[in-house]
Amino acid sequence: MSTSTERREAARTLGLVWIGLVLGVLGVGWLLTGPLEPTVDPWDDSVVLWLEDQRTADLDTAAAAGSHVADTVIGVALAVVVGLAGSWWQRSWRPLVHFTVLVGGYLALYVIVTHLVPRDRPPVEILDPGLVPDHSFPSGHVATAIVVYGGIALWVAAVAPRWRRWAWPLLLAPLVVAPSRLYQGAHHPTDVMASLVFATVWLLAVTRVLLPRTADDRGEARSAMVEA
């Protein structure tokens, strides 16, 4: 942000979006664990039970690998490294701020929702040990895949268009993580769907507000990268 006014406006916009997302996800969670539970749970359970029947040793290994891609520690570490490297490269704190807001906002939402909307894990053997039993809603791994890998892809496309072709495959991460979490019995399908929606909205909002949008902005970013 080039002026204090623009910074305040960006903070206000993202704050309102974040509050709206928190309220929206809480509302969906309360519906899923309340009035809609008798209708939704049978379908949710049927999907995960069917996946349990398809388990093999090879698929177990593949799902574990697909899940680890979006472990919270890995996702946060990757975002920090990219944010710091981008800030050093551009000689600006903007990339670090971008990834801090992106990941920090999603983590805060996740913590609030999982504590206010307890939901038991699916009624199958869970292949990812150590999970909190009633923190099924929403899926943190799926949200991490979207905001971290998607955030990196969109950031690269905005500040270094020539490299975007190498970054776009990162957008496929959720397509690996989501089925892996369902296969492992860590989440219900509706948990995953909720994360797909809220994390995508948050990613797009942060990208729209914090990433350079004009040709001049992109030119300044590229110039800073070249000078570095």
Side-chain angles (χ1 to χ4, degrees):
M1 300 295 114
S2 58
T3 69
S4 59
T5 300
E6 289 176 334
R7 287 193 291 270
R8 286 195 297 270
E9 183 61 27
R12 177 177 176 276
T13 299
L14 291 177
L16 290 174
V17 171
W18 184 83
I19 292 172
L21 282 174
V22 171
L23 295 177
V25 178
L26 283 174
V28 171
W30 286 328
L31 286 173
L32 291 175
T33 58
L36 296 181
E37 183 176 5
T39 302
V40 174
D41 269 12
W43 177 79
D44 264 348
D45 292 345
S46 69
V47 172
V48 183
L49 287 167
W50 181 84
L51 288 171
E52 184 181 39
D53 290 338
Q54 314 309 311
R55 289 176 178 174
T56 65
D58 289 340
L59 288 177
D60 289 356
T61 301
S67 180
H68 287 318
V69 165
D71 282 347
T72 302
V73 172
I74 292 176
V76 171
L78 183 58
V80 170
V81 169
V82 173
L84 289 173
S87 291
W88 172 81
W89 199 0
Q90 292 185 242
R91 299 190 186 281
S92 167
W93 288 109
R94 191 168 186 168
L96 185 58
V97 170
H98 167 72
F99 285 104
T100 299
V101 172
L102 184 60
V103 177
Y106 124 70
L107 286 175
L109 183 152
Y110 174 78
V111 170
I112 290 171
V113 174
T114 53
H115 281 82
L116 294 181
V117 185
R119 189 184 194 192
D120 291 336
R121 303 282 178 177
V124 297
E125 179 187 1
I126 299 175
L127 301 182
D128 187 357
L131 297 178
V132 180
D134 62 353
H135 280 192
S136 185
F137 179 86
S139 171
H141 278 70
V142 172
T144 297
I146 293 171
V147 299
V148 173
Y149 293 99
I152 293 172
L154 295 182
W155 177 76
V156 170
V159 303
R162 291 184 179 180
W163 296 356
R164 68 178 60 178
R165 77 175 90 177
W166 307 107
W168 288 136
L170 294 175
L171 295 175
L172 299 177
L175 300 182
V176 174
V177 175
S180 295
R181 298 306 283 168
L182 292 173
Y183 177 91
Q184 291 187 307
H187 296 287
H188 305 272
T190 46
D191 302 329
V192 169
M193 292 176 190
S195 289
L196 287 171
V197 173
F198 95 75
T200 299
V201 172
W202 182 239
L203 171 62
L204 294 177
V206 174
T207 297
R208 179 73 177 85
V209 173
L210 296 184
L211 286 188
R213 297 185 297 277
T214 67
D216 289 342
D217 287 339
R218 290 193 294 269
E220 289 176 6
R222 288 196 295 269
S223 296
M225 293 170 72
V226 170
E227 290 171 4

